[in-house]
Amino acid sequence: DAGVIQSPRHEVTEMGQEVTLRCKPISGHNSLFWYRQTMMRGLELLIYFNNNVPIDDSGMPEDRFSAKMPNASFSTLKIQPSEPRDSAVYFCASSKGGTSGSTWDIQYFGAGTRLSVL
Amino acid sequence: SQQGEEDPQALSIQEGENATMNCSYKTSINNLQWYRQNSGRGLVHLILIRSNEREKHSGRLRVTLDTSKKSSSLLITASRAADTASYFCATDSLNNAGNMLTFGGGTRLMVKP
């Protein structure tokens, strides 16, 4: 398996532009997570999907952020309009899901998308 | 606030020495995991310890868990320059309805050759 695939790896955009980050989870995984990592705030969970359904989006900063998972093999995180404070590395991760307390909780991370908003 | 807090925030040692990192958490858990992140990369799972386990080994890694103190430690023995990375603990929660993990702030380990 190729692992979790994220695209693009790097994105540089200007303030006010729309940004779309993409993620392909590991085949057979039922849970998908979007994280944001910055030096100041560390690793933050933005949103979590289980079986393509958003379960917890309490970490989404504001209405400018939206995420979708139209099928089991694809998810997007969109920022519209983007702002300089959105500059960060965005990670997608997936796990098998299932009964908590098992190895199905292990998350597999993509290589991340480094976003710079000028 | 974060569920897991690592200590120290940064650690610098010589190759061959042992490195110990600690993690404290706040709520009851099902399991605790340790992850590693190399610069510019995503996190990679290292080891998982369940709440009913006290110690676990994997190669040069040794993890302990003390649920009464809500703390865990990660020991890397005979460190190598290639162990230079950031290390994160992650916890689920007994109250967690799903499979979410909460990550700590990480320990940045530098192993000097």
Side-chain angles (χ1 to χ4, degrees):
Chain A
D1 200 317
V4 175
I5 300 173
Q6 291 187 246
S7 65
R9 286 297 312 277
H10 303 275
E11 178 80 32
V12 180
T13 190
E14 292 187 345
M15 184 174 63
Q17 296 298 305
E18 177 180 296
V19 175
T20 300
L21 311 181
R22 297 173 175 78
C23 175
K24 176 179 169 54
I26 292 173
S27 177
H29 282 192
N30 297 321
S31 297
L32 183 139
F33 309 83
W34 281 100
Y35 293 92
R36 177 173 69 177
Q37 186 177 41
T38 61
M39 288 294 291
M40 290 296 294
R41 300 175 67 89
L43 192 66
E44 304 172 278
L45 175 66
L46 300 177
I47 188 169
Y48 153 51
F49 291 87
N50 190 47
N51 292 323
N52 312 337
V53 176
I55 302 300
D56 189 327
D57 65 353
S58 59
M60 296 286 263
E62 49 200 272
D63 292 344
R64 297 184 298 106
F65 286 69
S66 62
K68 294 182 180 179
M69 192 164 186
N71 57 61
S73 59
F74 184 65
S75 177
T76 60
L77 177 68
K78 185 176 292 186
I79 308 173
Q80 165 64 17
S82 58
E83 297 182 2
R85 60 191 169 122
D86 301 330
S87 297
V89 180
Y90 291 80
F91 288 104
C92 175
S94 70
S95 70
K96 288 184 180 178
T99 304
S100 187
S102 71
T103 55
W104 290 358
D105 284 343
I106 294 171
Q107 294 185 13
Y108 297 81
F109 282 72
T113 295
R114 182 173 296 276
L115 174 64
S116 297
V117 183
L118 307 177
Chain B
S1 60
Q2 292 176 331
Q3 163 78 316
E5 296 288 346
E6 283 91 342
D7 167 56
Q9 290 188 331
L11 180 61
S12 181
I13 59 174
Q14 292 294 136
E15 204 165 29
E17 294 179 340
N18 295 341
T20 299
M21 289 158 270
N22 303 298
C23 168
S24 60
Y25 57 92
K26 297 175 182 175
T27 62
S28 296
I29 61 172
N30 290 305
N31 64 61
L32 183 145
Q33 302 181 44
W34 285 91
Y35 286 76
R36 164 188 167 137
Q37 184 180 30
N38 286 70
S39 180
R41 303 287 188 92
L43 279 72
V44 175
H45 171 81
L46 293 176
I47 194 166
L48 179 150
I49 185 166
R50 293 186 172 84
S51 60
N52 61 354
E53 297 176 313
R54 292 295 167 259
E55 188 171 311
K56 202 162 184 179
H57 297 255
S58 177
R60 294 184 295 112
L61 304 181
R62 173 180 168 243
V63 170
T64 62
L65 179 63
D66 187 335
T67 53
S68 66
K69 295 181 180 178
K70 291 186 169 59
S71 67
S72 173
S73 67
L74 171 67
L75 168 68
I76 303 174
T77 60
S79 64
R80 305 166 182 168
D83 294 329
T84 295
S86 291
Y87 293 83
F88 296 85
C89 68
T91 53
D92 71 347
S93 168
L94 286 180
N95 298 320
N96 185 356
N99 304 103
M100 294 187 297
L101 297 177
T102 303
F103 287 83
T107 293
R108 294 188 309 279
L109 173 66
M110 175 174 288
V111 181
K112 302 175 193 174

